Amino acid sequence: MTTLTAPTQAKSTESANGQKPSVIVSTSPATGRYLGEVPITPLESVPTVMAKARAAQSGWFRAGLRHRIDVLRRIKNALHLNMDLIISTQIAEQGKPPMDALQEFWAAIETFAFYIRRSQETLAPRRVMATLLPHRIYWIERRPYGVVLTITPWNYPLLLSTAPIAAALAAGNTVIWKPSEYATQIAALFTKIMRDAGVPEDVFQTVYGAGDLGAALIKAKPNKISFTGSVPTGRKIAAAAGELLIPCQLELGAKDAAIVLDDADLDRSARGIVWGGLQNAGQACLSIEQVYVARSVMEPFIKIMTEVIEREIKVGPGEAPGVTMGAISTQLQMDVIEGQLADAVAKGAQVIAGGKRLEGGNGRLFPPTLLTKVNPDMKIMRDETFGPILVIIPFDRDDEAVSMSNASPYGLTASVWTRNRARGLAMIDQLEVGHAAVNDHIMSASIPYLPWGGTKDSGYGASRGKEGLIEMTRAQSFSIERFAPLHTEVLWYPYTPQKYNLLRRALRALYAPTIAEKIRLLIGR
Ligand code: NAD
């Protein structure tokens, strides 16, 4: 492992003189370099933002799905045109190495490609045959909610935003996007790309600010909320949305587990788990944080993991040559990482590798860290770390590993590593998570064809996949008479004893368990 020096990121929405700031200044977390600034959206403008989104929605929906897909295609083309600029902005603002930024770009553009291909069939109206009252025609359409408020975090600012935005727009909603206050340069660039692609200003609006702006937007009553972020913020959003009966989709934190069985290919597993735990410096909701390893292979597995880290990981600013693991994006996150580690060490954990912030620069760099001898009293065993720390825990039986993994309050993703497909399949079948994999971990985040979403404290609802598009719609059903309307209907007034008896007999026959019984009841014997 090599270390490059890097200065500090100084990013804040607070001004020195105590006055309300008017801009968010963005600087690199790895070098401290000034990157740019965006104007903060004043809270007073929230009603206007919401009114514009509402006014534009019907026109956007009525323009038709073909038109909306055409706009998505233009966005995809504009993303393609700006690929290098997007990647360099990601590297600068998030401190990611180029490969991490490239992977995020890939998943984001593929999400647009997916919705361009699949929106038509996913949103197609569906005819329903009704045995009850079959003289009418019935069908179901997926209708947009109206205005979708999308609130997103800083860690994969492009991917996590483009998925709900693409789906919401395809479905005919207008979108108000509040990106993280720690990812405003990439947000400004994506907004410009949307304008270049011809997305009308009121159909897609970006607002800049911190949590207070997000909270004010919820109070302005959007028709649907799509939130990605931490569990504590998710709880606040669900409570505020519940009060106003706004449906919401929550993609929250996690503490994902990888389970290494005694028959695993240790070399491949170690490489996959090191990548799954350290990609984006562990700042991914689905990062592997806990590694359950069969006791019989624990010693060689740790040795191989340590070698992989030594060989593959070079920590430093994302833009520096050869760097494979970037910076910790915010000071808040660094405090969490250091706090959890100190708590674990004080309670008896053993640090096998890493363990101390890298000094010598102004940037926030933390080395890959391996920890053993942990116990359930430690914060690192309960709370999301969101950093480059992997905790290694031995187990003796497969069912014990499954139980320990399922005991987590979170449930986003998990993986099992084995040479035995049947054993792997049997185990992933029991894991209580949104996505479970054999012999891979975070790849599922790059696949827009799969629904993305967790269970338990990791949230509810789905983004991406057909399910993510359905999530941005409500079902509306319709009906019309099949032929000329009847003078009266069977259920209407007048209620007469004859009508009651006739219907009663029909119902008894209709739901009778056998054909013979149906016939007997119909002919009245
Ligand atoms: P965060 O919860 O601090 O902030 C997320 C967003 O919510 C930001 O835009 C923030 O300004 C806004 N916000 C904060 N308080 C708010 C309030 N009261 N009302 C409305 N909006 C408010 O999360 P973060 O630190 O930006 O991101 C890291 C977290 O996100 C981690 O927990 C990570 O696991 C989670 N995450 C989850 C997924 C997933 O798909 N499940 C993906 C990425 C990140």
Side-chain angles (χ1 to χ4, degrees), residues 149 151-156 160 178-182 209-216 218 227-234 236-237 250-254 283-286 330 332-333 384 386 412 452-454 458 463-464:
L149 170 63
I151 301 178
T152 51
W154 48 263
N155 65 318
Y156 282 89
L160 298 169
K178 198 209 83 62
S180 167
E181 59 274 37
Y182 295 103
D212 56 345
L213 180 61
I218 294 173
F227 172 76
T228 306
S230 64
V231 174
T233 310
K236 283 188 207 161
I237 286 178
L250 301 175
E251 305 287 350
L252 307 180
Q283 300 165 109
C285 48
L286 76 169
T330 73
L332 221 59
Q333 203 50 53
E384 182 180 36
F386 220 55
L412 193 57
W452 176 254
S458 292
S463 79
R464 292 190 244 160

Side-chain angles (χ1 to χ4, degrees), residues 34-317:
Y34 171 85
L35 299 173
E37 53 196 63
V38 296
I40 291 178
T41 307
L43 296 184
E44 304 76 57
S45 69
V46 164
T48 313
V49 169
M50 191 58 72
K52 281 186 188 173
R54 275 198 215 297
Q57 195 269 323
S58 171
W60 175 244
F61 173 59
R62 296 288 163 196
L65 183 54
R66 266 170 200 269
H67 171 72
R68 298 197 299 275
I69 290 176
D70 196 45
V71 173
L72 291 197
R73 192 171 289 113
R74 295 208 299 266
I75 300 170
K76 193 202 90 187
N77 292 343
L79 284 169
H80 181 251
L81 203 67
N82 287 283
M83 174 170 160
D84 291 335
L85 180 59
I86 292 168
I87 289 175
S88 60
T89 306
Q90 291 281 62
I91 294 170
E93 189 166 49
Q94 300 297 309
K96 295 173 197 254
M99 266 298 282
D100 285 359
L102 181 90
Q103 287 172 41
E104 181 174 358
F105 174 84
W106 183 7
I109 196 166
E110 181 60 18
T111 300
F112 277 92
F114 174 76
Y115 285 127
I116 289 164
R117 285 197 302 270
R118 295 300 176 84
S119 293
Q120 200 77 255
E121 68 183 72
T122 310
L123 298 177
R126 188 159 54 89
R127 280 279 286 273
V128 174
M129 280 305 295
T131 41
L132 206 62
L133 310 179
H135 62 299
R136 295 185 69 79
I137 297 169
Y138 306 92
W139 72 101
I140 301 165
E141 292 189 17
R142 305 301 316 188
R143 290 293 169 111
Y145 277 102
V147 179
V148 173
L149 170 63
T150 304
I151 301 178
T152 51
W154 48 263
N155 65 318
Y156 282 89
L158 186 68
L159 170 60
L160 298 169
S161 311
T162 49
I165 289 169
L169 290 178
N173 302 280
T174 51
V175 172
I176 300 171
W177 178 33
K178 198 209 83 62
S180 167
E181 59 274 37
Y182 295 103
T184 50
Q185 288 304 298
I186 189 70
L189 176 58
F190 180 64
T191 306
K192 182 177 174 306
I193 286 170
M194 295 291 270
R195 297 289 166 258
D196 291 351
V199 182
E201 270 192 36
D202 296 350
V203 167
F204 172 76
Q205 301 176 76
T206 305
V207 292
Y208 298 104
D212 56 345
L213 180 61
L217 284 158
I218 294 173
K219 283 204 185 110
K221 288 190 87 171
N223 304 98
K224 168 94 182 181
I225 298 167
S226 160
F227 172 76
T228 306
S230 64
V231 174
T233 310
R235 287 190 203 285
K236 283 188 207 161
I237 286 178
E243 194 61 42
L244 296 168
L245 293 180
I246 304 169
C248 63
Q249 170 226 345
L250 301 175
E251 305 287 350
L252 307 180
K255 194 157 191 68
D256 286 357
I259 302 173
V260 183
L261 304 188
D262 51 10
D263 64 356
D265 174 340
L266 294 189
D267 182 57
R268 186 181 185 280
S269 308
R271 284 187 290 115
I273 290 171
V274 165
W275 180 68
L278 301 182
Q279 208 244 18
N280 214 36
Q283 300 165 109
C285 48
L286 76 169
S287 289
I288 300 170
E289 295 199 358
Q290 295 183 319
V291 191
Y292 295 101
V293 186
R295 200 179 296 277
S296 59
V297 296
M298 180 144 150
E299 213 175 291
F301 185 70
I302 291 177
K303 185 168 172 290
I304 299 173
M305 270 184 100
T306 317
E307 287 164 6
V308 172
I309 289 173
E310 195 63 38
R311 192 173 65 236
E312 305 288 349
I313 306 294
K314 181 173 171 181
V315 182

Side-chain angles (χ1 to χ4, degrees), residues 428-508:
I428 60 170
D429 183 53
Q430 299 172 62
L431 294 170
E432 294 161 5
V433 290
H435 179 85
V438 176
N439 293 331
D440 206 339
H441 199 100
I442 62 178
M443 285 290 272
S444 60
S446 312
I447 313 288
Y449 326 112
L450 299 176
W452 176 254
T455 181
K456 300 192 272 184
D457 285 1
S458 292
Y460 44 78
S463 79
R464 292 190 244 160
K466 288 185 175 184
E467 292 77 1
L469 186 50
I470 296 289
E471 180 79 44
M472 293 299 173
T473 64
R474 59 185 181 82
Q476 182 164 340
S477 60
F478 297 85
S479 78
I480 190 168
E481 60 272 352
R482 197 177 290 276
F483 309 108
L486 301 170
H487 173 65
T488 186
E489 292 283 340
V490 67
L491 297 179
W492 293 3
Y493 294 127
Y495 288 176
T496 62
Q498 290 84 343
K499 197 193 254 183
Y500 176 82
N501 283 332
L502 193 70
L503 268 178
R504 179 178 167 276
R505 211 156 131 190
L507 287 186
R508 289 191 69 205

